[in-house]
Amino acid sequence: MKITDTRQLDRSGLSLGVMSFDGAPIGNVLGRVTDDEAHELISSAWDLGTRYFDSAPLYGNGLGEYRLGHGLRERDRDSYVLSTKVGRGISPSSLSSRRASCMDTAPLEPSFDYSYDGVMRSVEQSLHRMLTDRFDILFIHDCDRHTHGHDQPEIFRQALSSAYPALESLRSQGVVKALGFATNEVDVCHSALKNTDADCFLLSGRYTLLEQESLDDLLPACQEACVGLILGGVYNSGILATGPVKGATFNDAPVPPAVRKKTARIQKICSDHNVPLRAVALQFAIAHPAVASVCVRAGNQQEQQFDAELFEYDIPTELWADLRAAELIRADAPTPGDVPRTTGHAYSPT
């Protein structure tokens, strides 16, 4: 597979590059990035063949959207796919009072707003920041328990009754082609499948070499409903990129002993076949028929280049067989080279 390959979302007809650009780093989420470095990351991704770019108002309190929009300004708008998210508004806040989640951002602060009018304002602001007249995908962002705790059921009801109808209105106006939810929780996707006609989900961290429980229900359900998945967090925030080294993280937290042990076993099999663990993590994620794209977070051009090379790395079929035999990946987990299933799919190869 090459990163220039595309998959078409059945419900919207959009074609997504199988390796997409995660706009969080250029919003200073991982650390300080200069304007020049952000521009270079966007240009490097483009030169590698990336044509799907994702952002969110949360990334740098609008900074990530601003930089991505300016970085793509001179590109033909019809030649790439652009997505962002709703559910947070950005408003001025003094430097002394704001709660900064990113480094070196403007005196602005996000606040949750899943109301109809709030979504309309958010999209208008994003259009201005990103210097565009339309989006290809809009996601309702973080209406999950991790973000909202005990308030999540009410937040999700508001997302269904107010935020989603706003997005449907924007779709009818031609401002957006596809609608979805961006979350790191499978339950949100299940509820959205039951209550909306969402085209796709951006799911972070729940289908990886270390987490395959979604094979039981979500992935087959998405495949049957022809709802595409864009996967983020395929390295589980780091350990599947670095291996079980000191300081590695699992889902943005210290690595539990059982996870560290399992990762070490996976890495040993990868080493036996002279294949980087990182390559196996990437290619495992994109192999499932429900997955349309893998959104890869790279903090610099070297990481970008490395991921692009690993995405196309030649992995022997024996490695996948060894992982299955050791019960490190499930028997029903698709791997590169498997014959695609014939009952339902989330995308069509293009």
Side-chain angles (χ1 to χ4, degrees), residues 281-292:
L282 276 177
Q283 294 191 34
F284 176 81
I286 197 64
H288 196 284
V291 178

Side-chain angles (χ1 to χ4, degrees), residues 295-341:
C295 196
V296 181
R297 180 172 293 187
N300 55 59
Q301 291 183 68
Q302 291 73 29
E303 286 187 7
Q304 266 185 347
Q305 179 69 44
F306 191 42
D307 284 331
E309 293 171 356
L310 296 181
F311 203 86
E312 302 177 6
Y313 201 95
D314 186 16
I315 300 176
T317 56
E318 293 81 7
L319 182 147
W320 302 113
D322 288 349
L323 289 175
R324 283 197 179 96
E327 298 184 343
L328 292 169
I329 60 173
R330 288 176 34 162
D332 58 343
T335 54
D338 290 348
V339 177
R341 300 179 186 180

Side-chain angles (χ1 to χ4, degrees), residues 37 44 90 166 241 254 263 301 311:
E37 289 169 338
S44 173
I90 304 295
T263 306
Q301 291 183 68
F311 203 86

